[in-house]
Amino acid sequence: MPITSTEDTAERLARLQDIIEDLLKEAKRQGASAAEASVGSSAGLDVAVRLGEVETVEHTRDNGLAIAVYFGHRKGSASTSDLSPAAVRDAVKAACVIASQTQEDRCAHLAPLELLATDFPDLDLYHPWSVTVEDAIALAVACEDAARSHDPRIINSDGASLSSHSSIHVVGNSHGFIGGYPTTRHSLDCAVIGQDGDQMQRDAWWTSARCAQDLESAQQVGERAAARTVARLGARRIPTQQTPVLFRADIASGLLGGLISAISGGSIYRRASFLLDHVGERIFPEFVRIHELPHLPRGLASAPFDGDGVATRAKDFITNGVLQTYLLSVYSGCRLGLPTTGNAGGVRNVHVVMGDRDRAAMLRELDTGLMVTELMGHGVNLVTGDYSQGAAGFWVERGEIQYPVEEITIAGNLKTMFAGLVDIGNDCDFVGRVRTGSWLIDQMTIAGE
């Protein structure tokens, strides 16, 4: 069952901290000059229904531990899901054996002591939900029922699911750093199938939050899933052409994945990024600001420290269109001769400063072109920035949606697309690790009929 009591959580946190301390002592006993480790414990409930019937009910409980030991600048790593003292000792021993076989790497070392987190603010990440199996099933069924009854053209369902998970994460190293905190995450989603004549379409909607009270209602999720599905009925192909493209907000958030990957330290020190040597250069129009908020209360990616134990901090990636920094861990920063930016393990709550226009105004600004509402496949070349993905969406004329579109491919280059960003809407209507409005790109190639 999910962790639900404060006392239980405190006991689990203390136990995991004890495991880290014992592990670090064992690494020193086995001759390691330094060591670091992370350990986690999670528990949860997952329920899935389809056509009003229960498909799965799962109670989960998982543990995981990862250890890295250093003998000078030789590093060895091991992991285990068994947190018993004997298994922990075996993991340390395995890591030490591996380290003895590796080559020295000058960047294999712990984070500098002065960069490690010493302040652990309450980020309001822990809100256990004592939902019963019966109540979880009822919510999932209500969500699917709302979708199935929304429109007579909804003729089938891929089901609805509810998830509620609690976890505890602890990180420590031989500098004396140890930190941990509990988190929760709850979600509800639904996907349905619509039919009009011979054509069938599928779409979905979801909601996710740290606190169950912040979730959209089952009715809202179901109705949005159905409305998105019905809107796609009657889709057609369009001729091959070049045209402006509006990426709906939830799809625009995916474009940021290309940016984040391109400025991540691993891509930079391997010289495998189209944004290599671009810090200080304008890569977006001047109105664009993109920043990270790792201490956002209830944020889905909030954290007081990164995977190296380094204190996280708010920072701009893009200011006035100019790239401000790469995203670095201790290791990747060392490879580049730069300090870590506290991004070991990735970015945490990326926000794009939004403009003044809502969805309708963004469509009017698009005037005639394509609004993209779905992307398919993985068509980004990080080395060159070349971009090509299957897509679906809506054809727009004179600022009004005319009909749905499918079976097309959109292509361009991320560097050109970033530079050609015309406007960012204020129409973000979802909660996620990345928040942005819709993006209007001045010109892209559409391959259709």
Side-chain angles (χ1 to χ4, degrees):
M1 293 291 291
I3 303 166
T4 55
S5 76
T6 302
E7 182 178 358
D8 187 31
T9 303
E11 290 175 357
R12 288 174 180 269
L13 182 58
R15 176 172 176 260
L16 295 182
Q17 290 174 333
D18 288 343
I19 289 173
I20 291 284
E21 291 175 354
D22 291 344
L23 181 154
L24 296 173
K25 291 177 183 176
E26 178 64 18
K28 183 177 180 181
R29 189 189 71 78
Q30 294 193 27
S33 57
E36 59 187 344
S38 64
V39 61
S41 178
S42 64
L45 170 67
D46 295 280
V47 169
V49 303
R50 180 175 177 272
L51 299 177
E53 300 292 332
V54 177
E55 287 206 319
T56 60
V57 175
E58 294 183 355
H59 289 288
T60 61
R61 186 176 290 275
D62 298 301
N63 298 311
L65 179 149
I67 169 73
V69 298
Y70 300 87
F71 287 74
H73 289 290
R74 290 182 291 121
K75 177 183 177 181
S77 302
S79 61
T80 178
S81 59
D82 185 348
L83 301 186
S84 67
V88 170
R89 286 194 300 271
D90 288 344
V92 174
K93 182 178 180 180
C96 290
V97 170
I98 292 169
S100 70
Q101 304 299 316
T102 61
Q103 297 293 318
E104 286 207 1
D105 182 342
R106 65 178 180 83
C107 292
H109 56 74
L110 300 181
L113 178 61
E114 65 273 13
L115 297 182
L116 297 174
T118 56
D119 182 31
F120 304 100
D122 180 7
L123 303 180
D124 200 21
L125 305 180
Y126 183 65
H127 295 272
W129 185 15
S130 55
V131 61
T132 65
V133 171
E134 293 75 19
D135 287 344
I137 291 171
L139 282 168
V141 169
C143 182
E144 187 188 44
D145 284 349
R148 294 172 65 195
S149 62
H150 180 74
D151 190 287
R153 289 169 290 180
I154 299 297
I155 53 93
N156 204 343
S157 172
D158 273 350
S161 60
L162 182 143
S163 174
S164 176
H165 285 257
S166 302
S167 63
I168 301 174
H169 179 65
V170 179
V171 173
N173 64 37
S174 51
H175 279 331
F177 168 79
I178 187 164
Y181 53 94
T183 63
T184 52
R185 183 161 183 163
H186 316 291
S187 63
L188 178 64
D189 63 80
C190 181
V192 288
I193 299 166
Q195 183 172 9
D196 189 1
D198 294 333
Q199 189 183 77
M200 300 175 71
Q201 296 286 349
R202 175 192 180 278
D203 214 322
W205 189 246
W206 70 96
T207 180
S208 183
R210 294 291 190 185
C211 179
Q213 282 68 44
D214 294 335
L215 295 172
E216 293 179 36
S217 71
Q219 182 84 14
Q220 288 174 313
V221 173
E223 289 181 348
R224 290 190 73 169
R228 285 159 63 103
T229 299
V230 169
R232 297 178 62 162
L233 293 171
R236 64 183 83 166
R237 298 183 70 186
I238 56 177
T240 296
Q241 59 190 289
Q242 286 198 324
T243 185
V245 173
L246 178 67
F247 289 85
R248 195 175 62 189
D250 55 316
I251 304 302
S253 66
L255 291 179
L256 283 169
L259 171 67
I260 291 166
S261 295
I263 64 175
S264 293
S267 298
I268 299 300
Y269 80 72
R270 293 184 181 95
R271 305 188 67 81
S273 169
F274 68 95
L275 292 178
L276 183 68
D277 299 326
H278 275 63
V279 168
E281 293 190 18
R282 176 163 284 117
I283 60 173
F284 284 94
E286 192 171 357
F287 67 85
V288 177
R289 181 189 176 206
I290 303 174
H291 58 128
E292 177 185 29
L293 298 171
H295 296 173
L296 183 70
R298 297 194 184 185
L300 290 178
S302 295
F305 51 83
D306 73 353
D308 291 325
V310 172
T312 52
R313 58 182 175 82
K315 67 179 77 67
D316 278 19
F317 308 151
I318 305 291
T319 305
N320 298 328
V322 176
L323 178 61
Q324 301 295 310
T325 181
Y326 295 132
L327 306 177
L328 306 175
S329 64
V330 168
Y331 183 82
S332 62
C334 175
R335 290 292 299 265
L336 293 166
L338 298 169
T340 176
T341 59
N343 287 108
V347 292
R348 295 164 181 86
N349 303 319
V350 177
H351 281 216
V352 180
V353 174
M354 302 181 208
D356 299 325
R357 292 179 173 84
D358 60 15
R359 181 76 50 79
M362 291 295 288
L363 288 171
R364 288 193 295 271
E365 190 174 13
L366 170 65
D367 187 44
T368 297
L370 177 69
M371 179 171 74
V372 175
T373 60
E374 183 182 15
L375 292 171
M376 293 152 275
H378 302 279
V380 179
N381 185 327
L382 284 179
V383 177
T384 63
D386 288 341
Y387 178 95
S388 178
Q389 290 195 270
F394 297 90
W395 184 251
V396 178
E397 293 180 1
R398 298 177 298 281
E400 297 288 340
I401 291 176
Q402 301 299 307
Y403 50 82
V405 173
E406 64 179 358
E407 296 182 12
I408 59 173
T409 300
I410 56 173
N413 181 279
L414 284 177
K415 197 171 182 180
T416 304
M417 291 163 63
F418 293 163
L421 181 59
V422 175
D423 202 356
I424 298 173
N426 67 359
D427 51 344
C428 184
D429 58 356
F430 61 95
V431 175
R433 294 169 179 264
V434 176
R435 291 193 43 88
T436 179
S438 54
W439 286 23
L440 177 58
I441 308 294
D442 61 356
Q443 202 75 209
M444 293 188 70
T445 298
I446 300 174
E449 293 181 323

